Amino acid sequence: VTVKYKDSIETIEIDPLSSDPLALPPKVAMVSVFVEWGNSDWVDRDEAGIKAVDEDESVGDALVAPTKPQVTLQTCLSLWGEEETLSEENAWYCSQCREHKMAKKSLRLWRAPEILVVHLKRFSYTTYSRNKVESFVEYPLENLDLSEFIAGPCPMEGANYDLYAISNHYGGLGGGHYTAYAKSPWKQEGNGVPEKTGWYNFDDSYVSPVSNLPTIKSNNAYVLFYKRRKAA
């Protein structure tokens, strides 16, 4: 067990045969647990899924995740484009007055792209920790309006986008698994069963239709792919 303090790191050896609780020193900033086992005990993930392993009953309680905060994609975009005042250390140089000014800045798109790729920040890094951000982001499947974030001329048909694909990440920083949802341009809603939603789940070599559309929204969504609507 690696114990991290504010200014130092200490390693504590654990007796694998002992069932005694581990007493940690006070004022611990972070605890990392590294587990090693022999090759014969590896749990393999094959294409049929992950093999079951025996777990102590206490594991179930530990795996119950606390309620995660929920935000909307529109809120994320608003925070991305939020106006901020540059500090003295990052002052803007004015070529006319030839002085550094504490100017204000904000981010905008100059024009509405045909394809919009939204990369959600799922991994957080600090001096003492690395974590996966599990927050659920509510994102629209249709009619994402970006008009307020366009600085240049807006298209005649507007800046509204429909979702057509999602890249998901399951797991954490130490390892994980990627899957994807994508909408077929040839099988739209209403054209057949169970492909009536037009969406498919791609998991390695397995592809299956999505019959319950709300299930494609989850806190595993990592990258969102939108396409701008054309004029009718």
Side-chain angles (χ1 to χ4, degrees):
V1 176
T2 301
V3 180
K4 292 186 178 181
Y5 300 91
K6 184 176 181 180
D7 301 312
S8 63
I9 298 177
E10 178 183 347
T11 301
I12 302 176
E13 295 294 334
I14 298 179
D15 182 1
L17 301 179
S18 174
S19 60
D20 296 334
L22 178 64
L24 295 177
K27 298 181 180 180
V28 175
M30 179 180 176
V31 176
S32 301
V33 179
F34 299 91
V35 180
E36 297 181 359
W37 55 85
N39 292 334
S40 60
D41 297 327
W42 279 100
V43 178
D44 297 325
R45 183 194 185 283
D46 56 21
E47 292 189 348
I50 300 177
K51 295 180 180 178
V53 296
D54 294 330
E55 293 180 344
D56 186 85
E57 59 182 8
S58 63
V59 175
D61 297 332
L63 293 178
V64 176
T67 302
K68 301 296 181 181
Q70 298 185 12
V71 296
T72 65
L73 181 57
Q74 202 72 23
T75 300
C76 294
L77 293 171
S78 297
L79 292 173
W80 166 79
E82 191 174 42
E83 185 180 87
E84 63 175 305
T85 301
L86 299 177
S87 63
E88 294 183 4
E89 294 77 14
N90 195 28
W92 172 71
Y93 181 75
C94 176
S95 58
Q96 294 185 356
C97 59
R98 297 183 179 181
E99 292 182 358
H100 284 86
K101 300 289 186 178
M102 294 176 62
K104 295 182 178 180
K105 76 164 188 176
S106 62
L107 297 176
R108 288 293 185 273
L109 297 172
W110 175 249
R111 63 180 181 179
E114 182 174 349
I115 301 297
L116 176 70
V117 180
V118 180
H119 183 187
L120 301 177
K121 184 179 179 181
R122 284 296 182 197
F123 300 99
S124 175
Y125 300 90
T126 66
T127 304
Y128 302 105
S129 66
R130 297 181 180 182
N131 301 298
K132 182 179 179 182
V133 181
E134 300 281 0
S135 301
F136 175 76
V137 179
E138 172 64 38
Y139 45 90
L141 303 183
E142 297 179 334
N143 203 27
L144 172 65
D145 187 3
L146 284 188
S147 56
E148 64 176 293
F149 304 104
I150 306 299
C154 200
M156 292 289 293
E157 61 270 24
N160 298 84
Y161 291 78
D162 295 329
L163 187 70
Y164 71 89
I166 306 169
S167 175
N168 302 298
H169 179 270
Y170 298 87
L173 278 75
H177 179 60
Y178 285 92
T179 68
Y181 292 114
K183 188 174 184 180
S184 169
W186 297 285
K187 294 184 178 179
Q188 301 299 329
E189 186 172 357
N191 294 339
V193 178
E195 299 88 353
K196 60 181 181 179
T197 66
W199 284 84
Y200 289 84
N201 178 28
F202 297 84
D203 187 353
D204 290 343
S205 60
Y206 290 90
V207 180
S208 58
V210 176
S211 57
N212 187 13
L213 198 53
T215 59
I216 71 174
K217 290 185 177 183
S218 74
N219 62 344
N220 298 305
Y222 191 23
V223 184
L224 308 174
F225 300 84
Y226 284 90
K227 186 173 184 179
R228 181 160 53 88
R229 287 186 174 184
K230 299 293 185 180

